[in-house]
Amino acid sequence: MIIMFIYYLRNIFSVLEKKHKIAACFLLFLFLTTMLFEAFSITLFIPISSLILNDNITDNNFINVIFEKFNLSKDFFLFDVKNFLIFLFIFFLIRFLLINLTSWLKLYYSFSLNTFLINKLFKKYLSLSYKDFIKKNSSKYLEYLNFDVGIFFSGFLQLLELFLETLVLTGIIIILLIYNFKITLYSIIFLASLSIIFTLITKKKVITLGNEVRILEQQRYKNYIESFSLIKEIKIFNIKNFFIHKDFKFTSNFYFKDILSKFIRQLPRPFLEFLTLSTFIIFIFIFLNNLEVKKIIELIAVFGFATLRILPSINRILNSIQIIKYSLPASNNIISECNSIVSGSGNDKRLLNLTRIENSIKLKNINIEFDSSKKILNDLNFEFKINKLYGIKGRSGVGKSSLINIICGLSNPDKGEILYDNKDISKINLVSLYNLIGYVPQNTSLLDDTIKNNILFGYSDFSDSEILEVCEKAEIKDLINNSSQKLETIIGEKNNKISGGEAQRIGIARALLRKPNILILDESFNALDDQVTDKILKNLISKKHNKIILIVTHEKKVLDYCDEIIDLNESRK
């Protein structure tokens, strides 16, 4: 088990930055200081009991050993009750402040680590190449960010708790061993044996339950995402009971296993509370022979106070061990995700930076295939020249979206070259390429925010007049003018406060705002009427100077505006 915790701690430290490691060292110092205060507080009950019994403290061998070891003077507080009480007050006040400071810093450190990990993972996922990103279901990413990080955070917090309480318990045990070796040793052996047996019995079950709960939570998230995304279809096909039944199945199993895990984790607490107290009492009575009454009272006082401090520590240690084991599957996922290599961010400063396409984009012998037996595009050759508007057509599944993805640098062809002004895309910093592209996808996705923020889409260096200018080109100005909120009009979740055509036009305005060198419209007119489509296309043609415009469409009225047309059906022959 110790090896498991060392391995777990090493893996955690592998994902931390230098500042987190320095903070961990400072916490360790506070833990050690807290341990010394807790251990010393036990020794104070010996002079207290001696004072109560009017005993001579200097005759106590334990007190003499402690004061000789630490070179302390007994004159200040051992022979003056008032001074001793003042010392007690100051000591326990410092102990109170230290314990609370340590507790706060421990929680704050865990919180800051939790925030760091979520941000690190989110940044990693957004930096993945498009091809790598779509390998996983989005519910998997949500599971990592929403569920696994929370469990990891809980496990790490308990690891800190385990470390602190182990130090405190160790310090108290050392003091008790010095005070009375036999009683302490026999008690430790007895209690440790029972704790190890209990841990071995529950270890596998707790880890298994932790893994099952994590999987069930992922299934719940996936079901919720699918249900809310397919709400129209669920209503029309009248299949809400199908999704409700799935939710009941996942949720009931999730909470049953979660409750079972929590029940197993809290099992040792009441048992060990009784057992620890009983053990000390039994062994004190075993060794009572030939002891004076004063010594018996002193033993009971010291071990009684020690028991009151040891019991919570043992409970917290056992609880921490169970929670850490429960969190292991999720923690291993998070550590693995943080340590995995991020690919495809494209922001490599060693590569060429594009500032503008001056001449053309060339496709040379482009091949795209799902597998070796199914080719989508076969030896496609074409040149998109500046100042021209191109139409791309083809039946469903022919590879139109795949072609757009490789032109944008979102994925790579299985064979062939893509040249921007005769520069191979593999030698180009993709972020500089993205800065030249305006893109409107087949299904326009908007934020549940204002029209203005949807057009800005994260950029802040554009004025309202610039936003209104592209709104006019995208024929969306009427929507703005007819709304009392103008650009501050809220669109709603999944565009539910505007029409599909209005959503497409906001998407077009967004793509035009940055004055792109390459404009790509993927089936971006299918929700618009002919009159609006004609106006937008005329606006685009009037501004196509220094641009390459690609329109994916099957509509003849749109293709009629194009300078050249690529028929992808021909590329598969």
Side-chain angles (χ1 to χ4, degrees):
M1 187 172 70
I2 294 174
I3 295 173
M4 178 186 75
F5 285 129
I6 293 173
Y7 175 76
Y8 179 61
L9 187 62
R10 188 188 69 181
N11 283 340
I12 289 174
F13 269 75
S14 71
V15 304
L16 301 184
E17 293 183 341
K18 184 178 180 180
K19 62 180 180 180
H20 296 118
K21 295 176 182 178
I22 293 172
C25 292
F26 179 69
L27 271 179
L28 175 60
F29 170 75
L30 282 179
F31 290 168
L32 290 169
T33 307
T34 303
M35 180 268 287
L36 292 174
F37 267 78
E38 292 286 10
F40 190 67
S41 66
I42 302 295
T43 68
L44 290 176
F45 269 77
I46 297 169
I48 289 172
S49 62
S50 297
L51 286 172
I52 292 171
L53 296 170
N54 294 317
D55 199 10
N56 189 352
I57 297 172
T58 56
D59 293 337
N60 190 295
N61 292 330
F62 175 75
I63 290 292
N64 290 326
V65 169
I66 292 296
F67 279 84
E68 286 173 9
K69 287 282 186 184
F70 295 96
N71 195 26
L72 299 174
S73 172
K74 293 179 282 185
D75 296 334
F76 175 69
F77 58 87
L78 292 183
F79 301 106
D80 190 314
V81 174
K82 289 182 180 179
N83 285 342
F84 179 62
L85 291 176
I86 292 171
F87 171 79
L88 278 181
F89 175 79
I90 294 172
F91 175 83
F92 280 99
L93 176 63
I94 295 172
R95 175 180 172 271
F96 166 78
L97 294 174
L98 180 64
I99 289 172
N100 282 282
L101 174 65
T102 303
S103 179
W104 165 251
L105 290 177
K106 179 182 66 177
L107 289 170
Y108 185 81
Y109 178 70
S110 300
F111 159 77
S112 114
L113 179 62
N114 191 44
T115 305
F116 163 74
L117 285 177
I118 289 176
N119 185 258
K120 182 173 182 175
L121 282 177
F122 188 59
K123 182 179 179 181
K124 176 207 164 179
Y125 295 145
L126 292 186
S127 298
L128 287 171
S129 70
Y130 178 74
K131 186 176 181 180
D132 288 337
F133 183 85
I134 61 175
K135 286 179 181 177
K136 289 181 182 176
N137 192 293
S138 59
S139 64
K140 196 71 177 174
Y141 297 121
L142 286 173
E143 175 202 346
Y144 290 147
L145 291 168
N146 227 5
F147 186 66
D148 280 6
V149 169
I151 295 178
F152 173 84
F153 168 70
S154 176
F156 184 70
L157 194 61
Q158 291 305 315
L159 185 65
L160 296 178
E161 185 81 23
L162 173 66
F163 194 66
L164 173 59
E165 293 299 334
T166 302
L167 282 176
V168 170
L169 190 61
T170 302
I172 293 173
I173 288 172
I174 290 170
I175 293 295
L176 291 177
L177 284 169
I178 296 171
Y179 176 67
N180 193 303
F181 186 80
K182 282 186 179 181
I183 292 177
T184 306
L185 181 63
Y186 291 148
S187 299
I188 291 170
I189 293 171
F190 184 64
L191 288 171
S193 300
L194 290 176
S195 299
I196 291 169
I197 291 170
F198 182 85
T199 302
L200 291 174
I201 292 172
T202 59
K203 175 183 175 182
K204 187 175 180 182
K205 185 63 177 176
V206 171
I207 292 176
T208 302
L209 284 171
N211 198 38
E212 289 175 352
V213 167
R214 185 182 60 80
I215 292 170
L216 285 166
E217 184 70 353
Q218 179 197 351
Q219 291 173 329
R220 289 176 68 219
Y221 273 116
K222 185 172 179 288
N223 187 51
Y224 292 147
I225 291 169
E226 290 174 345
S227 301
F228 298 149
S229 299
L230 297 170
I231 188 65
K232 285 185 180 179
E233 290 84 347
I234 289 172
K235 295 287 186 184
I236 294 170
F237 284 87
N238 193 26
I239 54 169
K240 67 177 182 181
N241 289 334
F242 171 74
F243 289 94
I244 291 171
H245 175 73
K246 282 174 68 177
D247 177 59
F248 178 79
K249 177 184 174 183
F250 295 146
T251 301
S252 59
N253 283 337
F254 169 79
Y255 282 111
F256 174 75
K257 292 182 183 298
D258 191 42
I259 289 169
L260 182 60
S261 172
K262 288 175 181 175
F263 176 73
I264 292 174
R265 296 203 302 267
Q266 64 87 37
L267 269 179
R269 185 181 63 82
F271 173 68
L272 281 173
E273 284 178 356
F274 170 76
L275 190 64
T276 304
L277 190 59
S278 301
T279 300
F280 282 133
I281 292 172
I282 289 169
F283 283 117
I284 286 172
F285 273 101
I286 289 174
F287 295 102
L288 275 181
N289 296 331
N290 302 320
L291 289 178
E292 296 179 2
V293 174
K294 290 182 179 181
K295 186 62 177 177
I296 294 171
I297 293 173
E298 183 185 294
L299 277 170
I300 293 172
V302 173
F303 278 97
F305 179 75
T307 301
L308 290 176
R309 185 58 190 86
I310 287 172
L311 281 176
S313 285
I314 291 176
N315 285 331
R316 284 192 280 264
I317 286 170
L318 290 174
N319 185 56
S320 296
I321 290 171
Q322 299 289 4
I323 292 176
I324 290 168
K325 288 188 291 187
Y326 171 80
S327 70
L328 278 176
S331 298
N332 289 334
N333 279 341
I334 294 301
I335 292 166
S336 175
E337 285 290 297
C338 287
N339 287 330
S340 60
I341 298 172
V342 177
S343 63
S345 66
N347 195 16
D348 189 338
K349 295 180 181 179
R350 295 170 298 177
L351 300 175
L352 296 170
N353 283 315
L354 288 179
T355 55
R356 176 164 290 279
I357 303 298
E358 301 289 349
N359 298 304
S360 67
I361 302 171
K362 291 180 184 177
L363 308 178
K364 297 179 68 175
N365 304 315
I366 296 296
N367 281 261
I368 302 176
E369 53 188 46
F370 278 139
D371 53 55
S372 57
S373 61
K374 185 179 179 182
K375 287 189 176 181
I376 302 174
L377 296 177
N378 184 31
D379 289 330
L380 177 65
N381 290 276
F382 200 83
E383 183 175 12
F384 299 103
K385 295 181 179 179
I386 201 79
N387 303 327
K388 284 195 172 185
L389 190 154
Y390 294 89
I392 301 173
K393 72 174 186 175
R395 61 182 178 273
S396 178
V398 78
K400 301 187 295 294
S401 294
S402 298
L403 176 60
I404 294 303
N405 286 341
I406 66 167
I407 290 173
C408 291
L410 295 175
S411 59
N412 300 317
D414 295 292
K415 180 185 172 185
E417 295 177 292
I418 307 168
L419 305 174
Y420 290 83
D421 283 346
N422 292 317
K423 300 178 185 72
D424 194 291
I425 193 171
S426 64
K427 295 180 173 60
I428 293 173
N429 184 335
L430 290 180
V431 171
S432 71
L433 173 61
Y434 298 152
N435 289 333
L436 303 181
I437 296 175
Y439 174 59
V440 185
Q442 190 168 349
N443 298 308
T444 305
S445 296
L446 300 177
L447 307 171
D448 182 10
D449 207 331
T450 62
I451 292 174
K452 178 180 178 178
N453 287 338
N454 270 283
I455 294 173
L456 285 171
F457 206 53
Y459 289 87
S460 57
D461 49 351
F462 293 96
S463 65
D464 284 1
S465 60
E466 290 175 298
I467 295 171
L468 290 171
E469 182 184 344
V470 294
C471 287
E472 190 169 354
K473 292 176 185 175
E475 295 296 323
I476 196 65
K477 211 167 180 182
D478 287 346
L479 172 65
I480 297 167
N481 291 334
N482 292 333
S483 171
S484 60
Q485 300 297 316
K486 304 300 180 183
L487 284 171
E488 300 302 321
T489 301
I490 297 293
I491 286 171
E493 184 183 11
K494 295 187 178 179
N495 322 332
N496 60 14
K497 294 184 180 179
I498 59 175
S499 69
E502 288 168 337
Q504 279 192 333
R505 283 178 277 167
I506 290 173
I508 293 171
R510 173 196 289 172
L512 293 174
L513 184 63
R514 291 192 297 159
K515 298 179 174 57
N517 194 196
I518 305 163
L519 179 61
I520 299 173
L521 305 163
D522 189 357
E523 299 285 2
S524 304
F525 303 101
N526 53 16
L528 305 179
D529 59 48
D530 291 348
Q531 185 179 3
V532 172
T533 300
D534 288 340
K535 287 181 180 179
I536 293 174
L537 285 168
K538 287 175 182 177
N539 290 337
L540 293 179
I541 290 171
S542 69
K543 300 292 183 181
K544 72 177 182 178
H545 180 66
N546 288 329
K547 285 185 176 64
I548 296 173
I549 303 177
L550 309 181
I551 301 178
V552 177
T553 184
H554 62 277
E555 299 178 67
K556 186 178 182 304
K557 66 178 183 294
V558 176
L559 291 171
D560 288 342
Y561 281 92
C562 299
D563 298 311
E564 291 187 50
I565 297 170
I566 304 176
D567 187 352
L568 293 184
N569 295 321
E570 300 293 326
S571 72
R572 302 185 70 174
K573 293 181 180 179

